[in-house]
Amino acid sequence: MPRTQRNDNFIDKSFTVMADILLKILPANQKAKEAFVYYRDGMSAQAEGEYAEALENYNEALKLEEDPTDRSYILYNMGLIYASNGERDRALEYYHQAIELNPRMPSALNNIAVIYHYEGEKAKEAGQPQEAEAFFDKAAEYWKQAIRLAPNNYIEAQNWLKTTGRSEMDVYF
């Protein structure tokens, strides 16, 4: 049974109805519409914690989707799944692929920075200060990019950059 027929809550059902209406009226080719159905089902499965099913749907969507921006969001969501499963290296691969297709994706840049910052903290705790600093510097570079694109979204990162002396950026809200 397709995921769209299994949604039990009102919000999911409403989203599905609206998405189906949009699919019917949008001037997109059949392949793009099929890709969107897989993407939508992937998002639904991901929201329910059904990560294997979500990845299957995202992979099918990638096979069909040709638009680089739409592909970037599929790849980004795949990165989210891998990050939540603790597969940080794999998540980084997907975030980087997403940014290659859509360089104006601050959320992917932020998530890359978060992973590098986490790795820096781990290295610091392990008594590897040089390695930690290298990870922190990488995190800083990605946060700077994200902040340039979305200055109001990453206040904690901005504070961290300033308190660690890694940014001379002045961002005005």
Side-chain angles (χ1 to χ4, degrees):
M1 171 184 297
R3 172 161 287 281
T4 54
Q5 295 175 4
R6 287 187 277 154
N7 291 334
D8 293 329
N9 71 47
F10 175 76
I11 293 172
D12 280 348
K13 285 181 181 177
S14 299
F15 174 76
T16 300
V17 169
M18 292 300 294
D20 288 342
I21 291 169
L22 283 173
L23 277 175
K24 289 176 184 164
I25 63 172
L26 282 176
N29 65 37
Q30 188 59 33
K31 196 173 175 183
K33 290 179 180 183
E34 285 179 48
F36 178 75
V37 169
Y38 281 113
Y39 178 65
R40 180 191 64 204
D41 287 352
M43 287 191 315
S44 178
Q46 185 175 356
E48 293 178 14
E50 299 291 339
Y51 295 146
E53 181 182 345
L55 288 171
E56 286 176 21
N57 280 298
Y58 290 146
N59 280 313
E60 290 301 317
L62 281 175
K63 290 177 189 174
L64 298 166
E65 185 57 65
E66 296 172 351
D67 180 76
T69 302
D70 292 343
R71 289 179 63 81
S72 73
Y73 283 99
I74 296 166
L75 293 163
Y76 171 78
N77 282 335
M78 293 173 82
L80 288 175
I81 290 171
Y82 287 114
S84 70
N85 286 337
E87 296 180 58
R88 288 177 292 284
D89 289 338
R90 200 150 184 204
L92 286 171
E93 290 174 26
Y94 282 96
Y95 292 144
H96 282 293
Q97 288 179 49
I99 291 168
E100 284 177 30
L101 294 173
N102 183 3
R104 299 193 52 80
M105 186 180 260
S107 53
L109 294 164
N110 175 66
N111 290 1
I112 291 170
V114 167
I115 290 172
Y116 284 139
H117 186 270
Y118 174 80
E119 294 296 335
E121 289 293 334
K122 278 184 19 184
K124 186 177 171 182
E125 289 174 14
Q128 301 168 320
Q130 290 178 326
E131 189 175 324
E133 287 303 310
F135 278 121
F136 290 145
D137 288 343
K138 281 183 172 183
E141 289 308 311
Y142 283 96
W143 267 324
K144 288 177 194 177
Q145 291 177 54
I147 290 164
R148 281 187 197 101
L149 294 172
N152 296 330
N153 290 8
Y154 306 107
I155 304 302
E156 282 186 53
Q158 289 179 42
N159 290 335
W160 179 82
L161 289 168
K162 286 200 183 265
T163 59
T164 61
R166 286 184 165 80
S167 177
E168 304 79 40
M169 293 171 58
D170 280 322
V171 180
Y172 300 100
F173 306 97

